């Protein structure tokens, strides 16, 4: 079922969590809300679920206004960050809860409840653990009980708040691949809130990048990673190098470099910053005159199939991070302390608005 | 760790005293001191109560307890507890729920007010009700003209006891509910549970041991309260005398055996309360370990 959010505003006291957010989620998609803490992603999820009421704006399910619908009536499967399993109930009773609280006329008979819970426990690979209490399970198992419990009500949408946040790295990776397969099997519209960019890029069809109560960018994982629309998205999704310079009639001048920035053809000698990912940098020993920034190699890290270089720009002293394939690194045959020249192969220029933080962020 | 013992391992070391331990002499002195103190201030008084109560034989003991006035006092005490404990359990649940789940203006004032009965001397608590409902009080004349007698009657005793025992359940539940948070209740709502279903299936089971603990303490205090009740009751024998007041009257009349016989009932209540409290604590902890976290 499709979800639409229109111009939603939410304040908590003097803190504005959402500043007019609009978003359309197509039916059957797996969407990730990605952002730092305090960006409003969890608030948006809770408003979609009906656990929080927006101060302004609307939430539509399948085109119908659901803003005033109570959470009980929305039929959303919500998985809480800390699972929120009922601690005094067994795994079986946790999963059966949504069926047992239905009005008598809609409640399935006991045998049917047993069958359904059994099926769900099988689906989340927890057969045979129905008699345990939540405290007797591992984190990953609790997570799957929470998911089975949410699925028991045959939800129209599935909402997960930082579902893998409290798990260790390996379990996390397994679970998110498993969630992806499960989603493809059930074809239910799913929203996952996460602050982990890797998680969002790996699991989602659509990534919604949020910052300070606003949506910065909506796009496929490739789009948001390769074509960020703002400095924030660049910073938040992976490492990036900043090249500060002067922007004049479609050209960014950084030291001796002249870099094309055709989208800023109207700029008149304004400050501008070029953003380039580490793997979009070209590192050379002896480039043609005026086509590279001189830099000193400070550190070389070989990370699996690629090589990460920590460089110092000789003209400004700013750090630059470059990533090469092992082959091109071998061709260059550089060592720490040597002089090289770098230039961005692929660059996006924004007019001066970048946060004055470190040049390389992760 | 490798399974085979290392050849370099030193021979078994002699048992060393724990680096944080005390020398034996100090330990024994401390234990003896604590036991002596407990014996002097707890065990001896309790023993004296029973010894004096039974000093004239079992027949006299039963006689003192089966005296009509004593029976009436027992009945009144039970009646007051039966009214006060459920009311304060309800109030405690409601207050704890409001405080733990919602942010509202005057929340810290409410918490302070709940503690007020602990801070005020019980005698003052009783006086408050005399000033409010006495024949020269604020509301007393109006109520009296309509035939409602509060002071020197059972309603006054109930009110005073209600006031004095108000904090027990709320105090027990507020930190518990605050630490548990509201996520489980939100989960229940998202699964379609109504407010009542959420309360009876999720909220109440999660706090049941804390609630029981609070109720036990509240009950003990409700039955044993002396100061506040003494001010409002008027000590009318066979009408407004509770057990503690009855003990006092008997004692003042130099009827020591009877006084201690009735007092032994309150002592038994105290012992039962202690055992029940220990059981509930053990049970709650046991559940913590075996699965209810």
């Amino acid at each position: 079922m499709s979800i639409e959010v229109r111009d939603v505003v939410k304040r908590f006291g003097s803190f504005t969590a959402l500043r007019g957010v609009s978003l359309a989620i197509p039916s059957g998609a797996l969407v990730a809300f990605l952002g730092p803490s305090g960006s409003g992603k969890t608030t948006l999820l809770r408003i979609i679920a009906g656990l929080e009421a927006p101060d302004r704006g609307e939430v539509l399910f399948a085109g119908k206004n659901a803003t005033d619908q109570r959470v009980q009536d929305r039929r959303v499967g919500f998985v809480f960050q800390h699972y929120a399993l009922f601690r005094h109930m067994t795994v079986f009773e946790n999963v059966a809860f949504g069926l047992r609280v239905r009005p008598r006329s809609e409640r399935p008979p006991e045998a049917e409840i047993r069958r359904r819970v059994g099926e769900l426990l099988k689906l989340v690979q927890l057969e045979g653990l129905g008699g345990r209490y939540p405290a007797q399970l591992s984190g990953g198992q609790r997570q799957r009980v929470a998911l089975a419990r949410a699925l028991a009500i045959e939800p129209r949408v599935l909402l997960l708040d930082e579902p893998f946040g409290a798990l260790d790295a390996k379990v996390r990776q397994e679970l998110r691949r498993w969630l992806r397969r499960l989603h493809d099997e059930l074809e239910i519209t799913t929203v996952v809130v996460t602050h982990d960019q890797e998680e969002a890029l790996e699991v989602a069809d659509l990534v919604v990048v949020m910052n300070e109560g606003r949506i910065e960018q909506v796009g496929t994982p490739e789009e948001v990673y390769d074509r960020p629309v703002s400095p924030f998205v660049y910073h938040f999704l992976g490492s990036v190098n900043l090249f500060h310079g002067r922007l004049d009639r479609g050209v960014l001048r950084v030291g001796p470099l002249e870099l094309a920035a055709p989208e800023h053809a109207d700029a008149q000698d304004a400050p501008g910053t070029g953003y380039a990912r580490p793997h979009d940098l070209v590192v050379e020993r002896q480039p043609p005159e005026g086509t590279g920034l001189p830099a000193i190699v400070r550190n070389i890290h070989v990370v699996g199939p690629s090589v990460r270089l920590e460089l110092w720009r000789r003209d400004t002293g700013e750090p630059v991070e470059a990533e090469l394939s092992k082959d091109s690194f071998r061709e260059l045959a550089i060592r720490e302390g040597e002089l090289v020249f770098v230039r961005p192969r692929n660059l996006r220029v924004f007019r001066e608005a970048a946060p004055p933080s470190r040049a390389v962020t992760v | 760790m490798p399974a085979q013992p290392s050849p370099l391992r030193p021979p078994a070391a002699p048992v060393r005293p724990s680096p944080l331990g005390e020398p034996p002499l100090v330990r024994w002195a401390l234990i003896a001191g604590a036991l002596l103190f407990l014996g002097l201030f707890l065990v001896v008084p309790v023993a004296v109560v029973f010894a004096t109560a039974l000093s004239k034989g079992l027949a006299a003991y039963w006689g003192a307890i089966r005296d009509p006035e004593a029976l009436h006092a027992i009945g009144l005490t039970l009646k007051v507890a039966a009214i006060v404990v459920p009311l304060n359990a309800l109030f405690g649940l409601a207050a704890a729920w409001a405080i733990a789940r919602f942010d509202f203006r005057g929340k810290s004032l409410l918490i302070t007010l709940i503690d007020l009965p602990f801070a005020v001397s019980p005698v003052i608590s009783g006086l408050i009700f005399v000033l409010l409902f006495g024949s020269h009080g604020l509301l007393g004349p109006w109520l009296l003209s309509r035939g409602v007698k509060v002071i020197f009657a059972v309603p006054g005793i109930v009110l005073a006891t209600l006031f004095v025992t108000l904090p027990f359940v709320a105090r027990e539940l507020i930190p518990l509910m605050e630490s548990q948070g509201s996520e489980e209740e939100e989960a229940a709502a998202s699964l379609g549970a109504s407010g009542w279903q959420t309360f009876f299936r999720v909220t109440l089971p999660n706090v049941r041991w804390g609630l029981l603990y609070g109720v036990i303490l509240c009950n003990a205090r409700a039955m044993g309260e002396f100061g506040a009740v003494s001010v409002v009751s008027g000590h009318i024998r066979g009408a407004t005398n509770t057990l503690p007041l009855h003990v006092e009257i008997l004692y003042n009349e130099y009827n020591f055996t009877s006084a201690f016989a009735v007092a032994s009932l309150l002592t038994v209540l105290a012992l039962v309360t202690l055992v029940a409290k220990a059981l509930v604590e053990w049970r709650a902890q046991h559940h913590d370990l075996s699965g209810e976290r």
Side-chain angles (χ1 to χ4, degrees):
Chain A
M1 198 186 53
S2 69
I3 307 170
E4 202 184 330
V5 173
R6 282 188 194 155
D7 199 28
V8 161
V9 174
K10 178 70 186 176
R11 286 186 199 87
F12 295 104
S14 59
F15 175 72
T16 307
L18 295 172
R19 308 161 187 264
V21 167
S22 298
L23 177 68
I25 297 172
S27 186
L30 203 172
V31 179
F33 290 176
L34 176 66
S37 53
S39 59
K41 54 193 193 301
T42 293
T43 306
L44 184 57
L45 192 79
R46 288 172 62 86
I47 285 175
I48 292 174
L51 292 168
E52 215 82 67
D55 295 336
R56 215 180 69 205
E58 315 181 309
V59 176
L60 293 88
F61 283 180
K64 273 196 218 140
N65 196 334
T67 317
D68 297 322
Q69 209 174 21
R70 298 184 316 154
V71 55
Q72 283 96 334
D73 305 324
R74 288 200 192 186
R75 267 194 40 224
V76 292
F78 199 99
V79 176
F80 290 82
Q81 185 174 3
H82 302 293
Y83 323 128
L85 297 178
F86 305 128
R87 65 193 86 192
H88 62 281
M89 291 182 204
T90 60
V91 167
F92 182 94
E93 287 304 323
N94 263 282
V95 178
F97 186 87
L99 302 173
R100 291 204 196 282
V101 295
R102 284 191 186 168
R104 198 158 306 212
S105 56
E106 297 166 34
R107 197 180 307 156
E110 185 62 28
E112 170 72 5
I113 291 180
R114 297 204 157 271
R115 194 186 61 74
R116 293 262 291 275
V117 174
E119 266 175 20
L120 283 162
L121 288 180
K122 195 171 159 194
L123 181 73
V124 298
Q125 300 157 6
L126 288 174
E127 289 161 293
L129 295 185
R132 297 248 188 119
Y133 282 96
Q136 296 168 315
L137 303 178
S138 72
Q141 290 172 327
R142 283 183 214 172
Q143 176 65 65
R144 282 179 281 154
V145 175
L147 199 56
R149 183 178 70 176
L151 290 172
I153 60 165
E154 294 171 325
R156 301 189 291 173
V157 296
L158 190 57
L159 309 173
L160 302 101
D161 184 10
E162 301 266 5
F164 313 122
L167 304 171
D168 58 62
K170 192 159 181 299
V171 180
R172 214 172 154 128
Q173 205 165 43
E174 274 170 27
L175 264 179
R176 72 184 183 227
R177 288 188 184 148
W178 175 80
L179 176 74
R180 178 73 231 191
R181 284 198 304 274
L182 190 76
H183 171 264
D184 295 343
E185 215 172 285
L186 301 173
E187 293 179 336
I188 176 172
T189 313
T190 304
V191 182
V192 177
V193 158
T194 177
H195 61 262
D196 181 342
Q197 38 131 339
E198 203 186 305
E199 197 165 290
L201 296 180
E202 186 179 322
V203 86
D205 303 317
L206 206 60
V207 178
V208 177
V209 185
M210 298 188 64
N211 182 35
E212 291 182 348
R214 286 200 184 82
I215 292 178
E216 292 270 338
Q217 187 172 3
V218 180
T220 63
E222 296 77 42
E223 279 168 359
V224 293
Y225 188 79
D226 292 333
R227 292 188 293 285
V229 299
S230 70
F232 172 81
V233 181
Y234 253 117
H235 278 283
F236 197 70
L237 285 160
S239 307
V240 67
N241 293 298
L242 271 59
F243 296 96
H244 300 286
R246 303 299 293 183
L247 196 53
D248 191 33
R249 273 159 293 179
V251 175
L252 180 73
R253 288 195 181 78
V254 180
L257 285 184
E258 292 200 349
L259 304 161
E263 67 272 31
H264 295 295
D266 57 334
Q268 298 274 339
D269 194 31
T273 305
Y275 287 72
R277 299 260 184 231
H279 59 82
D280 282 332
L281 292 186
V282 180
V283 178
E284 292 161 311
R285 273 181 170 278
Q286 277 168 333
E289 192 60 35
T291 58
L293 296 167
I296 306 289
V297 182
R298 281 192 71 209
N299 266 310
I300 300 171
H301 306 278
V302 182
V303 186
S306 61
V307 179
R308 221 172 69 219
L309 302 179
E310 275 178 41
L311 311 167
W312 271 88
R313 269 175 67 180
R314 214 175 53 177
D315 48 353
T316 60
E318 282 173 310
V320 174
E321 192 183 318
E323 204 177 303
L324 307 176
S325 71
K326 235 176 201 161
D327 287 342
S328 43
F329 172 69
R330 232 174 265 128
E331 255 168 55
L332 278 168
I334 44 179
R335 280 195 306 250
E336 285 172 14
E338 287 184 331
L339 176 69
V340 292
F341 292 85
V342 291
R343 73 183 152 83
R345 180 191 305 142
N346 195 344
L347 177 96
R348 254 197 95 120
V349 179
F350 295 99
R351 280 188 214 195
E352 207 60 76
S357 60
R358 298 158 305 159
V360 178
T361 52
V362 177
Chain B
M1 287 298 282
Q4 67 269 49
S6 150
L8 291 175
R9 181 185 258 172
V15 180
R16 290 214 181 89
S18 151
L20 294 177
E22 302 289 344
L25 193 68
V26 177
R27 261 186 286 161
W28 286 114
L30 285 172
I31 291 172
L35 285 178
L36 196 72
F37 185 86
L38 273 178
L40 213 59
F41 288 94
L42 284 174
V43 180
V44 170
V46 169
V48 165
V49 168
F50 285 100
T52 319
L54 294 165
S55 62
K56 287 184 184 161
L58 264 180
Y61 183 81
W62 279 120
I65 287 172
R66 285 170 58 196
D67 174 77
E69 283 170 14
L71 285 179
H72 185 273
I74 293 170
L76 181 60
T77 296
L78 292 176
K79 191 158 89 184
V80 170
I83 299 171
V84 164
V85 173
L87 280 178
N88 268 339
L90 272 181
F91 166 78
L93 257 177
W97 188 68
I99 286 168
R101 294 288 179 269
F102 304 102
D103 272 315
F104 50 89
R105 288 173 83 100
K107 181 163 153 174
S108 50
L109 185 71
L110 179 60
I111 296 173
T112 314
L113 280 179
I114 289 174
D115 277 343
L116 189 70
F118 277 170
V120 174
S121 154
V123 177
I124 310 294
S125 312
L127 270 177
I128 295 169
F129 288 101
V130 172
L131 290 176
L132 271 177
F133 297 109
S135 53
H136 301 287
L138 266 177
L139 304 168
W142 186 83
L143 284 170
L144 272 176
S145 68
R146 276 153 189 79
V148 182
K149 199 163 183 294
V150 176
I151 298 304
F152 304 144
V154 176
I157 298 174
V158 170
L159 280 175
T161 311
L162 208 52
F163 180 82
V164 172
T165 59
L166 180 130
F168 286 98
V169 175
R171 269 283 132 206
E172 200 57 49
L173 292 184
I174 290 168
L176 183 64
M177 289 177 90
E178 273 178 342
S179 75
Q180 288 181 347
S182 53
E183 272 204 344
E184 283 181 48
E185 284 152 18
E186 288 181 346
S190 77
L191 293 167
S194 68
W196 285 116
Q197 283 174 322
T198 303
F199 179 77
F200 283 111
R201 286 170 182 257
V202 177
T203 313
L204 202 55
N206 274 350
V207 300
R208 60 182 183 234
W209 295 114
L211 180 65
L212 190 56
Y213 189 89
V215 161
I216 288 171
L217 292 181
C218 179
N219 182 59
R221 184 67 189 269
M223 290 189 172
E225 174 55 28
F226 177 82
V229 171
S230 169
V231 176
V232 295
S233 109
H235 305 266
I236 306 164
R237 288 191 195 205
T240 64
N241 253 357
T242 61
L243 266 184
L245 300 185
H246 189 61
V247 172
E248 192 211 13
I249 289 178
L250 291 172
Y251 189 83
N252 287 346
E253 289 170 351
Y254 303 102
N255 196 348
F256 295 131
T257 317
S258 299
F260 277 96
V262 176
S264 73
L265 291 180
L266 285 169
T267 312
V268 168
L269 170 74
L271 294 175
V272 167
T273 302
L274 280 179
V275 171
K277 177 172 163 285
L279 273 179
V280 168
E281 270 173 354
W282 178 81
R283 187 85 180 117
Q285 216 165 44
H286 183 69
H287 267 265
D288 280 356
L289 296 177
S290 78
E292 301 205 358
R293 202 162 69 85

